[in-house]
Amino acid sequence: MRRTLHPLLVMLASLTQQEQVRHVAYLKKENEILRARLPKNIRTTKSERLQLLRPAGSGLLRIRTQQFQTFF
């Protein structure tokens, strides 16, 4: 049973990874296109910066918040 199930699980994992790679490639291209439409300088508020950093995790958030505070 294990020997027949393992290749199937490997195949499913591989397909999922390939799909994620396609999604990332699409999002990178989409960001490139959208950034080309933006002006050179974009000013963000402190609350906007925190919203952008929140998904990254609390440890990274602390580091990035300090960097932004010194930068802006």
Side-chain angles (χ1 to χ4, degrees):
M1 174 85 175
R2 280 188 172 183
R3 289 185 179 180
T4 58
L5 190 57
H6 180 69
L8 179 62
L9 291 175
V10 170
M11 183 185 73
L12 288 174
S14 174
L15 290 174
T16 302
Q17 186 178 13
Q18 290 172 2
E19 185 177 341
Q20 288 175 342
V21 168
R22 284 193 301 268
H23 281 283
V24 169
Y26 173 83
L27 291 171
K28 282 184 175 183
K29 192 58 162 178
E30 182 182 41
N31 281 339
E32 181 183 320
I33 292 168
L34 292 174
R35 284 181 179 160
R37 295 181 182 182
L38 293 173
K40 292 288 181 186
N41 293 324
I42 299 173
R43 302 275 183 192
T44 57
T45 65
K46 184 176 181 178
S47 65
E48 290 171 335
R49 290 190 295 273
L50 289 174
Q51 287 177 6
L52 291 170
L53 294 173
R54 194 165 288 130
S58 62
L60 182 60
L61 176 65
R62 207 170 33 255
I63 293 167
R64 291 289 189 193
T65 303
Q66 291 169 355
Q67 289 175 350
F68 276 126
Q69 288 173 349
T70 59
F71 184 70
F72 291 103

